Amino acid sequence: MQDKNTISLIPDSISYAAVQEFLAQRLEANRASIRIQNRVQVVADEIWSNIVRYSGAAQASLELRREKAALLLCFTDNGKPYDPTTAPEPDTSLPADERTIGGMGLYMVRKMTTSMRYRYCDARNILTVEFAWT
């Protein structure tokens, strides 16, 4: 059984709208600031897009919960193992047209969150990102 802080979906192109609606409702219920709302929506879009495009997952879930001075966003999927915390950072010293394609999304996620933790457990990827509650 799923609680009000979690949504489970088939990760496909149709699921984006449900993810955004779920987040908007949960952020409003938690009285999140506009700053946090914007960050959560951008980060969720990036991570969910990666799950949809690259994981091969048949099922994925998203949980949003507040813990003390933090807001936690937890993604779980049954796709192939992938630890985004080990992805190399792009060389931002190069002009945009000289950089290799890819990597900027996770770089942005790292910059917009206070932490990003990954584990692989029971054939599932579990990625938790944390936002400071300000």
Side-chain angles (χ1 to χ4, degrees):
M1 188 166 124
Q2 131 179 339
D3 66 36
K4 66 180 180 180
N5 295 319
T6 306
I7 186 171
S8 294
L9 301 160
I10 295 169
D12 57 18
S13 61
I14 298 169
S15 64
Y16 289 103
V19 166
Q20 294 299 322
E21 182 179 333
F22 164 78
L23 289 172
Q25 290 173 354
R26 296 310 314 142
L27 290 164
E28 183 177 321
N30 280 284
R31 296 190 174 118
S33 69
I34 294 298
R35 179 177 179 266
I36 289 178
Q37 289 180 44
N38 291 337
R39 286 178 179 230
V40 168
Q41 293 285 4
V42 168
V43 167
D45 186 58
E46 175 61 27
I47 301 299
W48 195 261
S49 293
N50 287 345
I51 292 169
V52 169
R53 292 181 186 151
Y54 308 117
S55 74
Q59 190 69 34
S61 65
L62 178 61
E63 177 186 17
L64 179 73
R65 71 181 185 278
R66 179 139 178 237
E67 285 188 2
K68 298 180 184 174
L71 190 68
L72 301 177
L73 189 56
C74 183
F75 300 84
T76 304
D77 71 75
N78 63 354
K80 58 187 169 210
Y82 175 68
D83 182 354
T85 66
T86 63
E89 290 207 8
D91 184 352
T92 56
S93 67
L94 294 172
D97 60 343
E98 292 180 23
R99 294 182 200 153
T100 57
I101 295 175
M104 286 304 293
L106 287 175
Y107 175 77
M108 182 177 58
V109 168
R110 287 184 185 112
K111 295 298 180 191
M112 297 180 96
T113 60
T114 53
S115 73
M116 183 165 65
R117 298 180 305 277
Y118 170 83
R119 65 189 172 103
Y120 188 76
C121 182
D122 297 327
R124 295 191 174 275
N125 293 293
I126 304 166
L127 178 68
T128 303
V129 293
E130 182 177 319
F131 302 84
W133 189 260
T134 54

